[in-house]
Amino acid sequence: MGRETVVPRQLPARPPVFVGRLDELKALDAIESGVAVIGGPGGSGKTSLAVRWAYDNVERFPGGQLYVNLRGFDPAAAPSSPAVVLRGFLDALGVVPERIPDDLEARGALFRGLVADRRMLVVLDNARDEEQVRPLLPGGADSLVIVTSRNRMHDLVAYEQAQPLTVPVLADDEAVALLALRLGADRLGDTEAVAELVRCSGGLPLTLAVVAARVLSYPAFPLRALVDELQEERLDALDAVFSMSYNALPDDAARLFRLLGVHCGPDLDLRAAEVLLEGRARKPLAELTRAHLVEEHVPGRFRLHDLLRAFAADLVTEDEARPALQRLLDHYLHTAFAAERCLAPHWPSIGVESDVSFGGYEEALAWLEAELPVLLAATDLAVRKGFDVHAWQLPWTMSTFLYRCGRWDDRASTQHLALAAARRLGDRSAEAVTLHLLGRGKAMLGDHAGAQADLARALELHQGDAVNVGVTHFSIAWSHAMAEDFTTALAHAQKALEQFITTRNPSWIALIQGALGWANAMIGDLDAALDHSTEALHRLRVLGDLDGEAYALRTLGHVHHKLGEHERAAVVLRLAVDQLAGLGERYGEAQCAGDLGDALAAAGDDEGARRAWSRAETLLTRLGHPDLEGVRAKLIDSGAAERSLET
């Protein structure tokens, strides 16, 4: 079946105010494809130039537009890694998580293959160096890449035939025009004061924007008063402008601005700002936004230019910074913990206390999706600043979410950070929890030997903790089932059940009944499989566990099919397919759709079987899963060869 082409539209908002740059715009117009490097000092408007040109020429790129801020000079975090950026590009191009490789080279190859025949625009903003950029180049003959950087990127020019453009500071007349657009021509009557403002601002659009915001805040003040204030700062242009605006802030807004230099992620929401400030932050954020020190780039989320972040970080004292970082890490840990409890309430807790609550699964999921870049940055910062408890607990809170959305690399990398932190702490319980999650991750990725080694060590460390011993046996069973060793899987599932019968844990009894049902079905003991799956289905429905219920239905459908009860199997499997589709579990949906096709074919419903197999084929094609060939063979045998060969 044909796959819909996803056309990404990732450009940030069009710059609301833009002047000059006619030569640079013409130079970009002349570049048909390849790489253009826009260089210039921080705050000179490189991003505005690239984005403005992109909007003016969007029709030239029918294949779509990709954009990323590479954070090459962010004082609060390391530059974005090419692997992470490629992950985002592949997401934007519609590649499902299960198809995204783990290593950089494979991701780059997949990306280049997907865009090779497209005419696309790729904007790589705020790049640090050539090594960060080179893996992100699409390689096709028709695409254009625009790189912005404070560095000159000589190697890209030499070896990639990149076209260099330099963005100078604004000419005096352009700077005056920019002020006129922001302030109105009537405020510029004092031409000497205007000229001095331009000089003090260094001709940088960023500083001119901050100056304009300051002027607008005091409509009755003459421009000469602001010029005098700037001159009194006796600093370079950039710091003088920032200091002028910072010194004019109310105390709470000034304190919040300083503390924003502590924040770990690319942006933050109102609640995080309140945590930093230890009080209401809506009015201080409004003050900072009016002063052009903070930008509300999407509703409810705020960010700083990296030059402003560096300025803020220089202002904050150590006495302020360390407690603020503690509050911030606590906030993200406790909120992420509450979100995880909505996603997987049955999973053993790590004992974090949280008074945060969510309205349900969807609200928790939305928060995790919005905050994931911040949570990943918070984990790195916790490691760098010596907050080892946060460094192992934050990855735990993200584990379920990262698994369900298929971000295997982020899940693995954060768990490795967690393991190192747990060992630095000498915390055997934390080490056991982390090894357990690492083992499950390795099983997902097909490293069965590594998975079983980690899980065996986790089991050893968990001795004396009945709940975690039981869950670890469950995970060992699951890892052996992934390796198709169903006899060993059955043995460990039985050990897990014994643990939870002793501890009287209803959720885990139900889940392990389901695991026993599947393992017995796979080794051919259909009576035991039917008993365990029926019991699991009843318990899971009472508990409201839709995911576990769907897999119990799949096992029941499989058993009924093997028993020759094909129509009954089809009814049960159709329920499983629809339930997994509603949960977004594509591979499970594909598995059940394939089973449904088998049951319908055996029941004599050839058309229904073809529809079910076609559904499985579509899903498996998107996933790039090897099960695809078996489903296609069934479609060919059923007379649907033409449909099965479409992609």
Side-chain angles (χ1 to χ4, degrees):
M1 292 200 165
R3 285 177 286 174
E4 181 181 355
T5 299
V6 177
V7 179
R9 307 289 187 192
Q10 289 193 323
L11 293 176
R14 185 186 183 100
V17 177
F18 187 86
V19 299
R21 309 306 192 196
L22 296 181
D23 291 342
E24 291 79 12
L25 290 169
K26 288 178 182 177
L28 287 170
D29 286 341
I31 303 173
E32 289 293 322
S33 60
V35 182
V37 177
I38 301 176
S44 61
K46 300 181 295 295
T47 299
S48 292
L49 171 63
V51 174
R52 174 60 179 261
W53 185 88
Y55 272 101
D56 289 346
N57 292 272
V58 70
E59 73 284 348
R60 287 178 51 180
F61 304 100
Q65 304 89 43
L66 294 168
Y67 170 90
V68 63
N69 179 359
L70 294 173
R71 302 176 67 187
F73 302 90
D74 192 326
S80 300
S81 74
V84 170
V85 174
L86 284 169
R87 166 68 196 235
F89 283 175
L90 292 171
D91 283 340
L93 290 163
V95 180
V96 293
E98 295 86 347
R99 279 196 66 200
I100 297 177
D102 295 316
D103 64 279
L104 175 62
E105 286 192 16
R107 284 187 181 182
L110 178 58
F111 170 63
R112 290 189 294 274
L114 287 172
V115 303
D117 298 325
R118 298 192 189 198
R119 181 157 177 74
M120 296 191 69
L121 175 65
V122 181
V123 180
L124 305 177
D125 194 17
N126 203 17
R128 181 74 180 186
D129 51 34
E130 292 88 344
E131 288 70 22
Q132 189 186 26
V133 166
R134 194 167 280 112
L136 308 177
L137 301 180
D142 296 325
S143 292
L144 175 63
V145 180
I146 298 178
V147 181
T148 76
S149 180
R150 295 175 202 174
N151 292 329
R152 292 187 179 276
M153 302 284 179
H154 293 300
D155 283 357
L156 287 184
V157 175
Y159 300 111
E160 307 293 342
Q161 288 76 54
Q163 299 293 313
L165 289 81
T166 299
V167 177
V169 298
L170 291 172
D172 287 353
D173 59 338
E174 292 174 331
V176 172
L178 183 60
L179 285 175
L181 284 173
R182 291 188 176 276
L183 301 176
D186 58 328
R187 292 297 306 274
L188 306 185
D190 186 342
T191 55
E192 288 187 5
V194 170
E196 191 63 22
L197 278 179
V198 168
R199 188 193 68 76
C200 292
S201 300
L204 295 172
L206 174 63
T207 54
L208 286 163
V210 175
V211 165
R214 175 84 168 116
V215 173
L216 289 170
S217 297
Y218 294 90
F221 282 26
L223 290 183
R224 172 56 56 186
L226 297 173
V227 170
D228 292 343
E229 184 180 349
L230 272 171
Q231 290 174 334
E232 287 174 5
E233 291 293 337
R234 301 181 185 278
L235 300 168
D236 64 42
L238 204 62
D239 282 352
V241 170
F242 293 167
S243 294
M244 177 188 68
S245 292
Y246 168 74
N247 291 336
L249 293 170
D251 288 346
D252 55 354
R255 180 168 181 259
L256 178 57
F257 179 74
R258 293 194 303 274
L259 294 175
L260 288 174
V262 175
H263 189 263
C264 48
D267 63 0
L268 78 167
D269 64 2
L270 175 63
R271 179 59 189 140
E274 290 175 340
V275 167
L276 280 173
L277 194 57
E278 298 179 281
R280 296 183 180 277
R282 192 176 298 279
K283 186 176 179 181
L285 279 170
E287 293 279 358
L288 294 176
T289 303
R290 278 195 295 271
H292 220 278
L293 298 174
V294 165
E295 175 193 12
E296 188 174 7
H297 66 108
V298 297
R301 299 199 71 85
F302 302 85
R303 68 184 179 190
L304 288 76
H305 190 284
D306 55 20
L307 292 175
L308 285 161
R309 188 193 290 269
F311 181 71
D314 286 341
L315 293 172
V316 69
T317 66
E318 184 61 27
D319 288 344
E320 288 180 309
R322 187 80 180 176
L325 182 56
Q326 174 83 54
R327 293 193 301 274
L328 199 65
L329 292 175
D330 285 346
H331 161 67
Y332 286 120
L333 174 62
H334 296 159
T335 312
F337 177 83
E340 191 280 340
R341 294 290 79 187
C342 291
L343 268 60
H346 57 277
W347 201 257
S349 173
I350 55 172
V352 173
E353 294 184 4
S354 174
D355 58 4
V356 180
S357 61
F358 286 93
Y361 184 98
E362 294 299 327
E363 185 180 332
L365 192 66
W367 185 88
L368 286 164
E369 288 172 345
E371 297 291 352
L372 180 61
V374 180
L375 293 172
L376 294 171
T379 302
D380 288 336
L381 189 60
V383 172
R384 288 191 282 116
K385 296 295 185 179
F387 288 87
D388 280 334
V389 173
H390 295 82
W392 83 261
Q393 290 182 338
L394 276 166
W396 183 92
T397 67
M398 291 183 274
S399 178
T400 299
F401 172 72
L402 292 172
Y403 164 70
R404 292 189 183 173
C405 68
R407 298 184 71 110
W408 314 125
D409 52 346
D410 286 332
R411 188 181 183 280
S413 63
T414 53
Q415 289 303 326
H416 281 294
L417 292 176
L419 181 61
R423 287 174 171 166
R424 284 194 298 271
L425 290 166
D427 187 334
R428 287 170 60 88
S429 176
E431 183 179 354
V433 167
T434 305
L435 281 167
H436 186 170
L437 294 177
L438 274 171
R440 288 182 63 86
K442 289 177 181 178
M444 286 180 240
L445 297 171
D447 179 6
H448 302 300
Q452 287 154 22
D454 284 346
L455 290 168
R457 177 58 178 158
L459 184 64
E460 179 184 345
L461 291 170
H462 273 315
Q463 291 304 310
D465 181 343
V467 172
N468 273 304
V469 166
V471 175
T472 308
H473 274 299
F474 170 83
S475 291
I476 293 172
W478 177 76
S479 72
H480 281 287
M482 294 282 284
E484 298 188 354
D485 179 1
F486 296 107
T487 301
T488 306
L490 189 63
H492 280 281
Q494 188 61 51
K495 289 179 180 178
L497 182 61
E498 292 167 2
Q499 287 284 333
F500 287 116
I501 288 174
T502 301
T503 60
R504 299 181 181 180
N505 187 307
S507 294
W508 279 102
I509 289 172
L511 289 166
I512 292 166
Q513 289 278 11
L516 286 166
W518 183 252
N520 276 294
M522 292 299 99
I523 64 174
D525 189 343
L526 299 182
D527 289 338
L530 188 61
D531 289 343
H532 284 300
S533 299
T534 301
E535 179 67 17
L537 183 62
H538 170 72
R539 290 175 180 269
L540 290 162
R541 281 179 170 166
V542 170
L543 293 165
D545 187 331
L546 297 177
D547 186 68
E549 179 185 333
Y551 284 105
L553 286 168
R554 186 198 178 195
T555 302
L556 284 171
H558 179 85
V559 171
H560 288 308
H561 176 50
K562 291 297 183 182
L563 291 171
E565 301 166 353
H566 307 302
E567 292 180 355
R568 187 175 182 182
V571 170
V572 174
L573 287 166
R574 192 170 281 112
L575 290 173
V577 170
D578 293 343
Q579 195 146 306
L580 287 165
L583 292 169
E585 295 200 22
R586 288 176 287 264
Y587 181 54
E589 180 188 351
Q591 289 176 307
C592 289
D595 292 348
L596 175 60
D598 295 345
L600 289 169
D605 183 356
D606 294 336
E607 183 56 34
R610 283 193 292 271
R611 285 196 301 271
W613 286 328
S614 294
R615 180 174 184 170
E617 182 208 29
T618 299
L619 290 162
L620 293 168
T621 298
R622 291 179 60 206
L623 294 169
H625 199 278
D627 289 357
L628 176 63
E629 295 308 314
V631 172
R632 281 185 169 166
K634 293 174 184 178
L635 281 166
I636 291 170
D637 289 343
S638 71
E642 181 178 351
R643 179 186 301 178
S644 72
L645 292 174
E646 294 177 358
T647 59

